[in-house]
Amino acid sequence: MRRLNREHKQHDRPTDVLSFALPQPDGTLAGDIYLCRFVAAREARTRGVAVREELLRLVVHGTLHVLGYDHPENGGREASEMWRRQERYVSELR
């Protein structure tokens, strides 16, 4: 995950999720979403949630990125429209 993050995002550190939108020739959209369970488990401990919930959060997060949603990199991330949408979906899927 660290290598992928370095190669595609220029961040030389492991990350919890990476997503890549893959527009198709027929106009439809596909995507790849990569999760790092180790980083997700660490984040779950920090948040005080189960690893399963954090992995669900990351699948939703990556899917939203594939669909074109984005958030600020640093401050304001958790206040963004994308984050609020993500958390709404996570609460419905738990």
Side-chain angles (χ1 to χ4, degrees):
M1 193 62 145
R2 182 179 187 157
R3 181 181 56 79
L4 286 172
N5 200 24
R6 182 178 57 245
E7 290 175 5
H8 296 281
K9 301 292 186 179
Q10 292 70 53
H11 300 295
D12 191 18
R13 62 182 181 273
T15 190
D16 50 5
V17 61
L18 285 171
S19 57
F20 302 93
L22 304 168
Q24 302 298 295
D26 66 357
T28 60
L29 184 63
D32 284 339
I33 301 170
Y34 297 85
L35 304 178
C36 180
R37 191 179 193 292
F38 175 80
V39 177
R42 186 176 64 203
E43 185 64 22
R45 282 190 302 275
T46 300
R47 290 181 184 281
V49 299
V51 173
R52 180 186 183 286
E53 180 179 330
E54 189 61 19
L55 289 169
L56 174 62
R57 177 172 285 104
L58 296 177
V59 169
V60 170
H61 189 91
T63 300
L64 288 172
H65 274 308
V66 166
L67 293 173
Y69 290 89
D70 210 356
H71 55 75
E73 280 298 312
N74 297 315
R77 179 179 182 175
E78 294 188 13
S80 70
E81 170 58 33
M82 179 184 165
W83 193 272
R84 288 191 306 274
R85 180 180 298 264
Q86 164 193 298
E87 292 305 301
R88 188 171 64 244
Y89 293 152
V90 169
S91 69
E92 290 175 14
L93 294 169
R94 278 190 282 191

